[in-house]
Amino acid sequence: MDLTGKVAVVTGSGRGLGLAYATELARAGAAVVVNDVDADVAEAAVRTITDAGGSAVAEVVAVGTSEAAQALVDRAVTEFGRLDVLVNNAGILRDTTVWKMTDEQFDAVITTHLRGTFTCTRAAAIRMREQGEGGRIICVGSPTGQVGNFGQTNYAAAKAGIVGMVRTWAMELARAEITVNAIVPVAATAMTETVPFLQPYIKALETGGPLAQFGRQQLSLGTPQDAAGVVAFLASDAAAGITGQAIGIGGDRLALWSHPGEAVVELADGTGWSADAVAAIWPERFAAAQQTVGQQFPEPPK
C-alpha cells in the first residue's frame, strides 16, 4: 500500500493496537497525528515512527468531547495541510457485572468509545467534505459488541453502537466518496493479557506450537502488528469500493462479519400473534434457531 501524501489521525495510538495502526500507516507513507492522554506515551510513539523514517506529531487530549475531536482535526490540518484518514481507536475498560456497575463506570466507557467515535467522525467528515476529495474513516469494534461478553455491559453497548453508526455513516457519506468501515480486532495487548482464559495462548505466542497456532487461527489472537495491515488497506485507494462493513482481524484470521438478519420468519394470516400462538409455534420453528451469546470456540489442542 502506498499512502504517500495522505494524512491520518489515529486516536488512542500511544500503545497497543493504536500504535500498531499508526506505525503501519506511517510505514506506508502517511503522515500521522498520534493521540494519547499521556504526553510521555504519545511522544514515545511519535519517536518510534520518526526514528523509522516516518512523519508524526502528537496531540495529547482525552477523546470524547467535541473540543477534543476538533483539536485532533485541527492538528492534522495545521501540521500537514489536510486530513484523509481517521482511525477511531481510543478506548478504556471498566468491567463489572450489571448489578455492580456504577453510572460512572458505564458513562466513562460510553463517553470514550461511543461518543468519542461520534465526535471525531463528525469533525473529520466535515473537514473531508470541505476538501472534496473523499476520505477514509475506520472505526474499531470488538467481538464483545458482536456477540456479548460477561462483565462488559458498557463495552458491549459502545462497540455494538459503533458498528451501527458505521452502517449509517457509510450511507450518509457515500456521495462525498468517504468510506466508513469497522474493524473487529483481537490481539495480545495490555487489555487482553488480563483475561484468564487467554493467558496460555498469549504465552504460547512466544514459543509457537499447536497452542499458538490454535490461538492465532481459532481465537484470532496474535500481535497488534498482525491487526494493522487491514487498517492500511482500508485507508488506501484499493479499498475505495468497500464501505459499511465490519471486518474481523487478528493473528492469522481475516473475516467479514455479517449484518444482523432474520433467522426464521413465520407469518400469521391477518390475525397477528397472540401469546398462545407464539408459544405453540416456537418449539417447532424457532427454538432450534435461537442465537448463541458470547464467542463460541472449538476445543483447543491437547
Side-chain angles (χ1 to χ4, degrees), residues 99 119 152 170 229 243 294:
W99 58 90
T119 55
Q152 291 193 311
T243 195

Side-chain angles (χ1 to χ4, degrees), residues 81-126:
R82 58 185 297 109
L83 176 63
D84 303 285
V85 180
L86 169 67
V87 182
N88 286 304
N89 172 75
I92 60 173
L93 292 178
R94 298 291 186 271
D95 292 356
T96 190
T97 52
V98 64
W99 58 90
K100 294 180 181 179
M101 186 169 290
T102 66
D103 290 356
E104 291 75 19
Q105 289 171 322
F106 184 85
D107 290 345
V109 171
I110 295 298
T111 295
T112 301
H113 287 276
L114 189 62
R115 194 170 192 273
T117 295
F118 160 66
T119 55
C120 288
T121 296
R122 180 178 59 187
I126 291 170

Side-chain angles (χ1 to χ4, degrees), residues 27-108:
R27 188 195 66 78
V32 181
V33 176
V34 170
N35 163 250
D36 200 274
V37 295
D38 187 315
D40 291 339
V41 170
E43 291 296 342
V46 168
R47 287 194 298 273
T48 296
I49 291 170
T50 56
D51 288 351
S55 181
V57 296
E59 181 66 21
V60 180
V61 66
V63 167
T65 66
S66 298
E67 292 77 13
Q70 193 60 52
L72 288 163
V73 172
D74 289 346
R75 189 64 189 279
V77 175
T78 299
E79 293 288 340
F80 303 116
R82 58 185 297 109
L83 176 63
D84 303 285
V85 180
L86 169 67
V87 182
N88 286 304
N89 172 75
I92 60 173
L93 292 178
R94 298 291 186 271
D95 292 356
T96 190
T97 52
V98 64
W99 58 90
K100 294 180 181 179
M101 186 169 290
T102 66
D103 290 356
E104 291 75 19
Q105 289 171 322
F106 184 85
D107 290 345

Side-chain angles (χ1 to χ4, degrees), residues 244-267:
Q245 304 304 302
I247 300 167
I249 185 66
D252 295 329
R253 193 181 186 97
L254 175 66
L256 182 63
W257 284 85
S258 66
H259 295 335
E262 296 171 329
V264 179
V265 176
E266 285 291 327
L267 302 176

